[in-house]
Amino acid sequence: MIEYTHSLDGVAAEDLAGFFVGWPAPPSLEKHLEILRRSAHVELAREGRRVVGFVTAVGDGVICAYVPLLEVLPDYQGRCIGSELIRRLLRAVGEIYMVDVVCDDDVIPFYERLGFQRLDAGMGIRNRGAL
């Protein structure tokens, strides 16, 4: 049974195995745990001790939040876990002016179903060596 929580209590690095599929240089399990700990908001989907999905947000806590990561383990995709994680995250950040996400084209319909709209442009820098 999938349980949802915003708490990192009891989460160990080894509970995070299997994420970042296809990344050229995925973060280590320890770095992944640090990412979760340093995020302003985090929502987890767990099955027992194992984390099977997560979403993070960073922001100013006043008017804006950015969703840098939403991941669901491949074996758990298609079970609405990602949708539930986003819904919980949106409730956690509250009624703020903007919640932004940058995503690949193939997941645009997913975010549109959850109320996100296309924006005019997005820009970024990727320093893969930092992973």
mmCIF file of all heavy atoms in Angstrom, residues 17-68:
data_model
loop_
_atom_site.group_PDB
_atom_site.id
_atom_site.type_symbol
_atom_site.label_atom_id
_atom_site.label_comp_id
_atom_site.label_asym_id
_atom_site.label_seq_id
_atom_site.Cartn_x
_atom_site.Cartn_y
_atom_site.Cartn_z
ATOM 1 N N ALA A 17 16.877 4.147 -3.613
ATOM 2 C CA ALA A 17 17.478 3.490 -4.782
ATOM 3 C C ALA A 17 16.508 3.437 -5.958
ATOM 4 O O ALA A 17 15.303 3.254 -5.787
ATOM 5 C CB ALA A 17 17.932 2.082 -4.412
ATOM 6 N N GLY A 18 17.057 3.627 -7.168
ATOM 7 C CA GLY A 18 16.290 3.418 -8.396
ATOM 8 C C GLY A 18 15.806 4.660 -9.106
ATOM 9 O O GLY A 18 15.208 4.558 -10.185
ATOM 10 N N PHE A 19 16.050 5.832 -8.551
ATOM 11 C CA PHE A 19 15.584 7.065 -9.186
ATOM 12 C C PHE A 19 16.604 7.601 -10.191
ATOM 13 O O PHE A 19 17.691 7.077 -10.321
ATOM 14 C CB PHE A 19 15.290 8.129 -8.122
ATOM 15 C CG PHE A 19 14.075 7.818 -7.298
ATOM 16 C CD1 PHE A 19 14.191 7.290 -6.025
ATOM 17 C CD2 PHE A 19 12.802 8.033 -7.805
ATOM 18 C CE1 PHE A 19 13.069 6.994 -5.259
ATOM 19 C CE2 PHE A 19 11.664 7.741 -7.066
ATOM 20 C CZ PHE A 19 11.800 7.219 -5.783
ATOM 21 N N PHE A 20 16.220 8.623 -10.907
ATOM 22 C CA PHE A 20 17.059 9.337 -11.882
ATOM 23 C C PHE A 20 17.459 8.436 -13.058
ATOM 24 O O PHE A 20 18.581 8.493 -13.545
ATOM 25 C CB PHE A 20 18.292 9.952 -11.201
ATOM 26 C CG PHE A 20 17.940 10.898 -10.085
ATOM 27 C CD1 PHE A 20 18.055 10.523 -8.754
ATOM 28 C CD2 PHE A 20 17.460 12.170 -10.386
ATOM 29 C CE1 PHE A 20 17.715 11.398 -7.731
ATOM 30 C CE2 PHE A 20 17.112 13.052 -9.363
ATOM 31 C CZ PHE A 20 17.245 12.659 -8.031
ATOM 32 N N VAL A 21 16.520 7.630 -13.499
ATOM 33 C CA VAL A 21 16.741 6.736 -14.638
ATOM 34 C C VAL A 21 17.016 7.567 -15.887
ATOM 35 O O VAL A 21 16.297 8.517 -16.188
ATOM 36 C CB VAL A 21 15.512 5.824 -14.859
ATOM 37 C CG1 VAL A 21 15.672 4.987 -16.115
ATOM 38 C CG2 VAL A 21 15.286 4.940 -13.638
ATOM 39 N N GLY A 22 18.084 7.232 -16.593
ATOM 40 C CA GLY A 22 18.426 7.912 -17.835
ATOM 41 C C GLY A 22 19.234 9.182 -17.650
ATOM 42 O O GLY A 22 19.627 9.799 -18.635
ATOM 43 N N TRP A 23 19.458 9.601 -16.432
ATOM 44 C CA TRP A 23 20.282 10.784 -16.208
ATOM 45 C C TRP A 23 21.721 10.453 -16.577
ATOM 46 O O TRP A 23 22.210 9.369 -16.248
ATOM 47 C CB TRP A 23 20.207 11.210 -14.748
ATOM 48 C CG TRP A 23 18.984 11.992 -14.376
ATOM 49 C CD1 TRP A 23 17.690 11.682 -14.674
ATOM 50 C CD2 TRP A 23 18.949 13.184 -13.617
ATOM 51 N NE1 TRP A 23 16.849 12.611 -14.147
ATOM 52 C CE2 TRP A 23 17.599 13.553 -13.490
ATOM 53 C CE3 TRP A 23 19.921 13.972 -13.028
ATOM 54 C CZ2 TRP A 23 17.202 14.696 -12.797
ATOM 55 C CZ3 TRP A 23 19.515 15.098 -12.331
ATOM 56 C CH2 TRP A 23 18.164 15.454 -12.228
ATOM 57 N N PRO A 24 22.436 11.383 -17.221
ATOM 58 C CA PRO A 24 23.817 11.093 -17.611
ATOM 59 C C PRO A 24 24.751 10.935 -16.414
ATOM 60 O O PRO A 24 25.716 10.187 -16.473
ATOM 61 C CB PRO A 24 24.219 12.296 -18.468
ATOM 62 C CG PRO A 24 23.263 13.373 -18.103
ATOM 63 C CD PRO A 24 21.991 12.692 -17.682
ATOM 64 N N ALA A 25 24.451 11.617 -15.329
ATOM 65 C CA ALA A 25 25.267 11.522 -14.108
ATOM 66 C C ALA A 25 24.326 11.684 -12.917
ATOM 67 O O ALA A 25 24.222 12.764 -12.344
ATOM 68 C CB ALA A 25 26.353 12.590 -14.094
ATOM 69 N N PRO A 26 23.615 10.620 -12.548
ATOM 70 C CA PRO A 26 22.639 10.754 -11.465
ATOM 71 C C PRO A 26 23.318 11.032 -10.125
ATOM 72 O O PRO A 26 24.450 10.601 -9.890
ATOM 73 C CB PRO A 26 21.938 9.392 -11.442
ATOM 74 C CG PRO A 26 22.874 8.461 -12.104
ATOM 75 C CD PRO A 26 23.666 9.266 -13.088
ATOM 76 N N PRO A 27 22.628 11.760 -9.253
ATOM 77 C CA PRO A 27 23.198 12.002 -7.936
ATOM 78 C C PRO A 27 23.292 10.707 -7.139
ATOM 79 O O PRO A 27 22.485 9.788 -7.332
ATOM 80 C CB PRO A 27 22.214 12.981 -7.289
ATOM 81 C CG PRO A 27 20.960 12.865 -8.061
ATOM 82 C CD PRO A 27 21.320 12.394 -9.425
ATOM 83 N N SER A 28 24.247 10.649 -6.241
ATOM 84 C CA SER A 28 24.377 9.486 -5.360
ATOM 85 C C SER A 28 23.159 9.423 -4.436
ATOM 86 O O SER A 28 22.415 10.404 -4.293
ATOM 87 C CB SER A 28 25.645 9.598 -4.523
ATOM 88 O OG SER A 28 25.515 10.671 -3.598
ATOM 89 N N LEU A 29 22.982 8.292 -3.789
ATOM 90 C CA LEU A 29 21.876 8.156 -2.843
ATOM 91 C C LEU A 29 22.008 9.172 -1.708
ATOM 92 O O LEU A 29 21.016 9.750 -1.264
ATOM 93 C CB LEU A 29 21.827 6.735 -2.278
ATOM 94 C CG LEU A 29 21.563 5.618 -3.296
ATOM 95 C CD1 LEU A 29 21.574 4.262 -2.601
ATOM 96 C CD2 LEU A 29 20.257 5.836 -4.034
ATOM 97 N N GLU A 30 23.221 9.408 -1.266
ATOM 98 C CA GLU A 30 23.452 10.376 -0.192
ATOM 99 C C GLU A 30 23.119 11.798 -0.653
ATOM 100 O O GLU A 30 22.525 12.587 0.088
ATOM 101 C CB GLU A 30 24.902 10.302 0.298
ATOM 102 C CG GLU A 30 25.249 9.019 1.016
ATOM 103 C CD GLU A 30 25.436 7.800 0.091
ATOM 104 O OE1 GLU A 30 25.628 7.981 -1.136
ATOM 105 O OE2 GLU A 30 25.371 6.669 0.599
ATOM 106 N N LYS A 31 23.499 12.131 -1.878
ATOM 107 C CA LYS A 31 23.184 13.467 -2.408
ATOM 108 C C LYS A 31 21.673 13.605 -2.608
ATOM 109 O O LYS A 31 21.103 14.667 -2.361
ATOM 110 C CB LYS A 31 23.922 13.734 -3.715
ATOM 111 C CG LYS A 31 23.752 15.191 -4.176
ATOM 112 C CD LYS A 31 24.739 15.590 -5.214
ATOM 113 C CE LYS A 31 26.003 15.993 -4.492
ATOM 114 N NZ LYS A 31 26.849 16.903 -5.259
ATOM 115 N N HIS A 32 21.019 12.532 -3.030
ATOM 116 C CA HIS A 32 19.566 12.553 -3.193
ATOM 117 C C HIS A 32 18.896 12.873 -1.855
ATOM 118 O O HIS A 32 17.994 13.718 -1.782
ATOM 119 C CB HIS A 32 19.091 11.210 -3.744
ATOM 120 C CG HIS A 32 17.636 11.151 -4.023
ATOM 121 N ND1 HIS A 32 17.049 10.061 -4.586
ATOM 122 C CD2 HIS A 32 16.629 12.018 -3.815
ATOM 123 C CE1 HIS A 32 15.753 10.261 -4.709
ATOM 124 N NE2 HIS A 32 15.483 11.444 -4.246
ATOM 125 N N LEU A 33 19.338 12.224 -0.800
ATOM 126 C CA LEU A 33 18.771 12.490 0.520
ATOM 127 C C LEU A 33 19.021 13.942 0.927
ATOM 128 O O LEU A 33 18.136 14.614 1.482
ATOM 129 C CB LEU A 33 19.349 11.527 1.556
ATOM 130 C CG LEU A 33 18.765 11.621 2.966
ATOM 131 C CD1 LEU A 33 17.251 11.464 2.966
ATOM 132 C CD2 LEU A 33 19.416 10.562 3.856
ATOM 133 N N GLU A 34 20.189 14.464 0.622
ATOM 134 C CA GLU A 34 20.497 15.859 0.925
ATOM 135 C C GLU A 34 19.583 16.806 0.145
ATOM 136 O O GLU A 34 19.120 17.821 0.674
ATOM 137 C CB GLU A 34 21.959 16.157 0.612
ATOM 138 C CG GLU A 34 22.395 17.548 0.986
ATOM 139 C CD GLU A 34 23.871 17.806 0.699
ATOM 140 O OE1 GLU A 34 24.610 16.883 0.314
ATOM 141 O OE2 GLU A 34 24.271 18.970 0.850
ATOM 142 N N ILE A 35 19.301 16.475 -1.111
ATOM 143 C CA ILE A 35 18.371 17.278 -1.928
ATOM 144 C C ILE A 35 17.021 17.362 -1.226
ATOM 145 O O ILE A 35 16.423 18.431 -1.104
ATOM 146 C CB ILE A 35 18.212 16.668 -3.336
ATOM 147 C CG1 ILE A 35 19.489 16.840 -4.155
ATOM 148 C CG2 ILE A 35 17.005 17.269 -4.061
ATOM 149 C CD1 ILE A 35 19.538 15.980 -5.412
ATOM 150 N N LEU A 36 16.529 16.212 -0.788
ATOM 151 C CA LEU A 36 15.227 16.185 -0.116
ATOM 152 C C LEU A 36 15.259 17.015 1.166
ATOM 153 O O LEU A 36 14.335 17.785 1.435
ATOM 154 C CB LEU A 36 14.823 14.748 0.193
ATOM 155 C CG LEU A 36 14.619 13.822 -1.011
ATOM 156 C CD1 LEU A 36 14.265 12.419 -0.540
ATOM 157 C CD2 LEU A 36 13.575 14.359 -1.969
ATOM 158 N N ARG A 37 16.310 16.863 1.941
ATOM 159 C CA ARG A 37 16.411 17.584 3.218
ATOM 160 C C ARG A 37 16.487 19.093 3.033
ATOM 161 O O ARG A 37 15.972 19.852 3.847
ATOM 162 C CB ARG A 37 17.638 17.104 3.989
ATOM 163 C CG ARG A 37 17.462 15.740 4.593
ATOM 164 C CD ARG A 37 18.674 15.331 5.406
ATOM 165 N NE ARG A 37 18.437 14.045 6.031
ATOM 166 C CZ ARG A 37 19.385 13.164 6.270
ATOM 167 N NH1 ARG A 37 20.647 13.425 5.953
ATOM 168 N NH2 ARG A 37 19.098 12.010 6.841
ATOM 169 N N ARG A 38 17.123 19.555 1.971
ATOM 170 C CA ARG A 38 17.312 20.993 1.768
ATOM 171 C C ARG A 38 16.189 21.664 0.994
ATOM 172 O O ARG A 38 16.182 22.884 0.838
ATOM 173 C CB ARG A 38 18.638 21.239 1.064
ATOM 174 C CG ARG A 38 19.816 20.911 1.957
ATOM 175 C CD ARG A 38 21.084 21.371 1.319
ATOM 176 N NE ARG A 38 22.244 21.051 2.117
ATOM 177 C CZ ARG A 38 23.390 21.667 2.008
ATOM 178 N NH1 ARG A 38 23.533 22.642 1.124
ATOM 179 N NH2 ARG A 38 24.404 21.319 2.748
ATOM 180 N N SER A 39 15.253 20.890 0.482
ATOM 181 C CA SER A 39 14.134 21.470 -0.261
ATOM 182 C C SER A 39 13.175 22.178 0.693
ATOM 183 O O SER A 39 12.993 21.752 1.839
ATOM 184 C CB SER A 39 13.389 20.376 -1.034
ATOM 185 O OG SER A 39 14.221 19.839 -2.033
ATOM 186 N N ALA A 40 12.560 23.238 0.217
ATOM 187 C CA ALA A 40 11.580 23.951 1.037
ATOM 188 C C ALA A 40 10.365 23.075 1.317
ATOM 189 O O ALA A 40 9.786 23.132 2.399
ATOM 190 C CB ALA A 40 11.162 25.245 0.337
ATOM 191 N N HIS A 41 9.969 22.292 0.329
ATOM 192 C CA HIS A 41 8.835 21.372 0.468
ATOM 193 C C HIS A 41 9.213 20.052 -0.172
ATOM 194 O O HIS A 41 9.852 20.033 -1.231
ATOM 195 C CB HIS A 41 7.585 21.913 -0.237
ATOM 196 C CG HIS A 41 7.088 23.202 0.329
ATOM 197 N ND1 HIS A 41 6.330 23.277 1.472
ATOM 198 C CD2 HIS A 41 7.247 24.468 -0.091
ATOM 199 C CE1 HIS A 41 6.055 24.545 1.727
ATOM 200 N NE2 HIS A 41 6.596 25.285 0.784
ATOM 201 N N VAL A 42 8.782 18.978 0.430
ATOM 202 C CA VAL A 42 8.981 17.657 -0.144
ATOM 203 C C VAL A 42 7.753 16.812 0.173
ATOM 204 O O VAL A 42 7.161 16.927 1.242
ATOM 205 C CB VAL A 42 10.281 16.982 0.382
ATOM 206 C CG1 VAL A 42 10.211 16.746 1.881
ATOM 207 C CG2 VAL A 42 10.565 15.686 -0.338
ATOM 208 N N GLU A 43 7.363 16.030 -0.794
ATOM 209 C CA GLU A 43 6.298 15.048 -0.604
ATOM 210 C C GLU A 43 6.853 13.713 -1.071
ATOM 211 O O GLU A 43 7.512 13.634 -2.118
ATOM 212 C CB GLU A 43 5.050 15.408 -1.406
ATOM 213 C CG GLU A 43 4.378 16.699 -0.988
ATOM 214 C CD GLU A 43 3.689 16.635 0.372
ATOM 215 O OE1 GLU A 43 3.245 15.526 0.770
ATOM 216 O OE2 GLU A 43 3.590 17.676 1.023
ATOM 217 N N LEU A 44 6.591 12.673 -0.300
ATOM 218 C CA LEU A 44 7.086 11.335 -0.617
ATOM 219 C C LEU A 44 5.932 10.368 -0.771
ATOM 220 O O LEU A 44 4.912 10.482 -0.082
ATOM 221 C CB LEU A 44 7.973 10.804 0.516
ATOM 222 C CG LEU A 44 9.174 11.627 0.948
ATOM 223 C CD1 LEU A 44 9.837 10.957 2.150
ATOM 224 C CD2 LEU A 44 10.154 11.783 -0.192
ATOM 225 N N ALA A 45 6.121 9.394 -1.646
ATOM 226 C CA ALA A 45 5.244 8.229 -1.733
ATOM 227 C C ALA A 45 6.101 7.050 -1.289
ATOM 228 O O ALA A 45 7.197 6.839 -1.818
ATOM 229 C CB ALA A 45 4.748 8.022 -3.163
ATOM 230 N N ARG A 46 5.594 6.297 -0.307
ATOM 231 C CA ARG A 46 6.380 5.199 0.251
ATOM 232 C C ARG A 46 5.575 3.912 0.238
ATOM 233 O O ARG A 46 4.355 3.920 0.395
ATOM 234 C CB ARG A 46 6.809 5.512 1.683
ATOM 235 C CG ARG A 46 7.706 6.737 1.762
ATOM 236 C CD ARG A 46 8.225 6.963 3.130
ATOM 237 N NE ARG A 46 9.339 6.035 3.382
ATOM 238 C CZ ARG A 46 10.081 6.059 4.467
ATOM 239 N NH1 ARG A 46 9.827 6.924 5.431
ATOM 240 N NH2 ARG A 46 11.074 5.216 4.626
ATOM 241 N N GLU A 47 6.300 2.840 0.041
ATOM 242 C CA GLU A 47 5.730 1.512 0.215
ATOM 243 C C GLU A 47 6.643 0.823 1.219
ATOM 244 O O GLU A 47 7.779 0.458 0.880
ATOM 245 C CB GLU A 47 5.670 0.749 -1.100
ATOM 246 C CG GLU A 47 4.924 -0.569 -0.971
ATOM 247 C CD GLU A 47 4.681 -1.210 -2.315
ATOM 248 O OE1 GLU A 47 5.673 -1.549 -2.994
ATOM 249 O OE2 GLU A 47 3.496 -1.367 -2.674
ATOM 250 N N GLY A 48 6.183 0.729 2.445
ATOM 251 C CA GLY A 48 7.061 0.285 3.512
ATOM 252 C C GLY A 48 8.141 1.326 3.723
ATOM 253 O O GLY A 48 7.884 2.523 3.730
ATOM 254 N N ARG A 49 9.373 0.887 3.832
ATOM 255 C CA ARG A 49 10.500 1.829 3.991
ATOM 256 C C ARG A 49 10.898 2.472 2.676
ATOM 257 O O ARG A 49 11.456 3.559 2.649
ATOM 258 C CB ARG A 49 11.723 1.082 4.552
ATOM 259 C CG ARG A 49 11.617 0.726 6.005
ATOM 260 C CD ARG A 49 12.945 0.303 6.583
ATOM 261 N NE ARG A 49 14.044 1.209 6.320
ATOM 262 C CZ ARG A 49 14.323 2.302 7.030
ATOM 263 N NH1 ARG A 49 13.558 2.639 8.030
ATOM 264 N NH2 ARG A 49 15.372 3.056 6.720
ATOM 265 N N ARG A 50 10.610 1.796 1.581
ATOM 266 C CA ARG A 50 11.076 2.240 0.271
ATOM 267 C C ARG A 50 10.326 3.473 -0.223
ATOM 268 O O ARG A 50 9.092 3.526 -0.206
ATOM 269 C CB ARG A 50 10.886 1.106 -0.733
ATOM 270 C CG ARG A 50 11.456 1.383 -2.081
ATOM 271 C CD ARG A 50 11.289 0.205 -2.994
ATOM 272 N NE ARG A 50 12.067 0.382 -4.197
ATOM 273 C CZ ARG A 50 11.905 -0.328 -5.288
ATOM 274 N NH1 ARG A 50 11.025 -1.311 -5.307
ATOM 275 N NH2 ARG A 50 12.643 -0.080 -6.343
ATOM 276 N N VAL A 51 11.080 4.463 -0.674
ATOM 277 C CA VAL A 51 10.485 5.633 -1.324
ATOM 278 C C VAL A 51 10.278 5.259 -2.788
ATOM 279 O O VAL A 51 11.215 4.867 -3.475
ATOM 280 C CB VAL A 51 11.394 6.875 -1.188
ATOM 281 C CG1 VAL A 51 10.825 8.051 -1.970
ATOM 282 C CG2 VAL A 51 11.594 7.242 0.276
ATOM 283 N N VAL A 52 9.032 5.360 -3.268
ATOM 284 C CA VAL A 52 8.714 4.979 -4.645
ATOM 285 C C VAL A 52 8.420 6.191 -5.520
ATOM 286 O O VAL A 52 8.316 6.077 -6.733
ATOM 287 C CB VAL A 52 7.563 3.956 -4.700
ATOM 288 C CG1 VAL A 52 7.940 2.684 -3.948
ATOM 289 C CG2 VAL A 52 6.257 4.529 -4.171
ATOM 290 N N GLY A 53 8.298 7.367 -4.884
ATOM 291 C CA GLY A 53 8.078 8.599 -5.624
ATOM 292 C C GLY A 53 8.336 9.792 -4.723
ATOM 293 O O GLY A 53 8.212 9.697 -3.501
ATOM 294 N N PHE A 54 8.720 10.905 -5.337
ATOM 295 C CA PHE A 54 8.947 12.124 -4.563
ATOM 296 C C PHE A 54 8.799 13.337 -5.469
ATOM 297 O O PHE A 54 8.941 13.254 -6.679
ATOM 298 C CB PHE A 54 10.338 12.129 -3.910
ATOM 299 C CG PHE A 54 11.464 12.318 -4.885
ATOM 300 C CD1 PHE A 54 11.970 13.589 -5.144
ATOM 301 C CD2 PHE A 54 12.008 11.242 -5.562
ATOM 302 C CE1 PHE A 54 12.999 13.770 -6.062
ATOM 303 C CE2 PHE A 54 13.040 11.408 -6.471
ATOM 304 C CZ PHE A 54 13.535 12.668 -6.723
ATOM 305 N N VAL A 55 8.511 14.462 -4.839
ATOM 306 C CA VAL A 55 8.484 15.753 -5.518
ATOM 307 C C VAL A 55 9.075 16.774 -4.557
ATOM 308 O O VAL A 55 8.900 16.651 -3.336
ATOM 309 C CB VAL A 55 7.060 16.150 -5.973
ATOM 310 C CG1 VAL A 55 6.118 16.343 -4.802
ATOM 311 C CG2 VAL A 55 7.087 17.377 -6.878
ATOM 312 N N THR A 56 9.813 17.732 -5.106
ATOM 313 C CA THR A 56 10.400 18.787 -4.290
ATOM 314 C C THR A 56 9.993 20.151 -4.827
ATOM 315 O O THR A 56 9.669 20.289 -6.009
ATOM 316 C CB THR A 56 11.937 18.707 -4.288
ATOM 317 O OG1 THR A 56 12.423 18.868 -5.627
ATOM 318 C CG2 THR A 56 12.431 17.394 -3.717
ATOM 319 N N ALA A 57 10.027 21.133 -3.941
ATOM 320 C CA ALA A 57 9.812 22.520 -4.343
ATOM 321 C C ALA A 57 10.778 23.404 -3.563
ATOM 322 O O ALA A 57 11.110 23.108 -2.414
ATOM 323 C CB ALA A 57 8.380 22.960 -4.077
ATOM 324 N N VAL A 58 11.223 24.429 -4.219
ATOM 325 C CA VAL A 58 12.031 25.469 -3.592
ATOM 326 C C VAL A 58 11.343 26.792 -3.884
ATOM 327 O O VAL A 58 10.616 26.911 -4.866
ATOM 328 C CB VAL A 58 13.487 25.462 -4.115
ATOM 329 C CG1 VAL A 58 14.187 24.179 -3.724
ATOM 330 C CG2 VAL A 58 13.541 25.657 -5.619
ATOM 331 N N GLY A 59 11.541 27.758 -3.032
ATOM 332 C CA GLY A 59 10.908 29.045 -3.279
ATOM 333 C C GLY A 59 11.142 30.005 -2.149
ATOM 334 O O GLY A 59 11.897 29.732 -1.218
ATOM 335 N N ASP A 60 10.433 31.135 -2.222
ATOM 336 C CA ASP A 60 10.620 32.173 -1.217
ATOM 337 C C ASP A 60 9.597 32.090 -0.093
ATOM 338 O O ASP A 60 9.674 32.841 0.876
ATOM 339 C CB ASP A 60 10.622 33.561 -1.855
ATOM 340 C CG ASP A 60 9.337 33.892 -2.593
ATOM 341 O OD1 ASP A 60 8.302 33.242 -2.344
ATOM 342 O OD2 ASP A 60 9.371 34.810 -3.437
ATOM 343 N N GLY A 61 8.605 31.210 -0.218
ATOM 344 C CA GLY A 61 7.596 31.085 0.819
ATOM 345 C C GLY A 61 6.594 32.223 0.843
ATOM 346 O O GLY A 61 5.753 32.302 1.741
ATOM 347 N N VAL A 62 6.669 33.110 -0.138
ATOM 348 C CA VAL A 62 5.785 34.269 -0.161
ATOM 349 C C VAL A 62 4.948 34.291 -1.442
ATOM 350 O O VAL A 62 3.724 34.243 -1.378
ATOM 351 C CB VAL A 62 6.585 35.590 -0.036
ATOM 352 C CG1 VAL A 62 5.651 36.796 -0.061
ATOM 353 C CG2 VAL A 62 7.427 35.579 1.228
ATOM 354 N N ILE A 63 5.621 34.370 -2.602
ATOM 355 C CA ILE A 63 4.861 34.453 -3.853
ATOM 356 C C ILE A 63 5.253 33.411 -4.891
ATOM 357 O O ILE A 63 4.550 33.246 -5.885
ATOM 358 C CB ILE A 63 4.943 35.855 -4.505
ATOM 359 C CG1 ILE A 63 6.360 36.161 -4.979
ATOM 360 C CG2 ILE A 63 4.396 36.923 -3.588
ATOM 361 C CD1 ILE A 63 6.443 37.348 -5.926
ATOM 362 N N CYS A 64 6.387 32.717 -4.702
ATOM 363 C CA CYS A 64 6.783 31.815 -5.782
ATOM 364 C C CYS A 64 7.405 30.526 -5.268
ATOM 365 O O CYS A 64 8.002 30.471 -4.198
ATOM 366 C CB CYS A 64 7.745 32.510 -6.741
ATOM 367 S SG CYS A 64 9.348 32.900 -6.044
ATOM 368 N N ALA A 65 7.207 29.496 -6.078
ATOM 369 C CA ALA A 65 7.828 28.192 -5.835
ATOM 370 C C ALA A 65 8.178 27.595 -7.189
ATOM 371 O O ALA A 65 7.517 27.851 -8.204
ATOM 372 C CB ALA A 65 6.887 27.263 -5.082
ATOM 373 N N TYR A 66 9.219 26.805 -7.179
ATOM 374 C CA TYR A 66 9.675 26.106 -8.373
ATOM 375 C C TYR A 66 9.758 24.624 -8.037
ATOM 376 O O TYR A 66 10.246 24.253 -6.966
ATOM 377 C CB TYR A 66 11.051 26.644 -8.801
ATOM 378 C CG TYR A 66 11.711 25.827 -9.875
ATOM 379 C CD1 TYR A 66 11.159 25.744 -11.154
ATOM 380 C CD2 TYR A 66 12.869 25.108 -9.620
ATOM 381 C CE1 TYR A 66 11.752 24.979 -12.143
ATOM 382 C CE2 TYR A 66 13.465 24.342 -10.602
ATOM 383 C CZ TYR A 66 12.895 24.280 -11.862
ATOM 384 O OH TYR A 66 13.474 23.511 -12.847
ATOM 385 N N VAL A 67 9.268 23.795 -8.947
ATOM 386 C CA VAL A 67 9.279 22.347 -8.765
ATOM 387 C C VAL A 67 10.417 21.785 -9.618
ATOM 388 O O VAL A 67 10.259 21.599 -10.823
ATOM 389 C CB VAL A 67 7.934 21.711 -9.189
ATOM 390 C CG1 VAL A 67 7.955 20.210 -8.986
ATOM 391 C CG2 VAL A 67 6.779 22.357 -8.424
ATOM 392 N N PRO A 68 11.581 21.533 -9.011
ATOM 393 C CA PRO A 68 12.699 21.037 -9.797
ATOM 394 C C PRO A 68 12.656 19.544 -10.071
ATOM 395 O O PRO A 68 13.173 19.085 -11.082
ATOM 396 C CB PRO A 68 13.925 21.397 -8.950
ATOM 397 C CG PRO A 68 13.416 21.472 -7.561
ATOM 398 C CD PRO A 68 11.984 21.908 -7.650
#
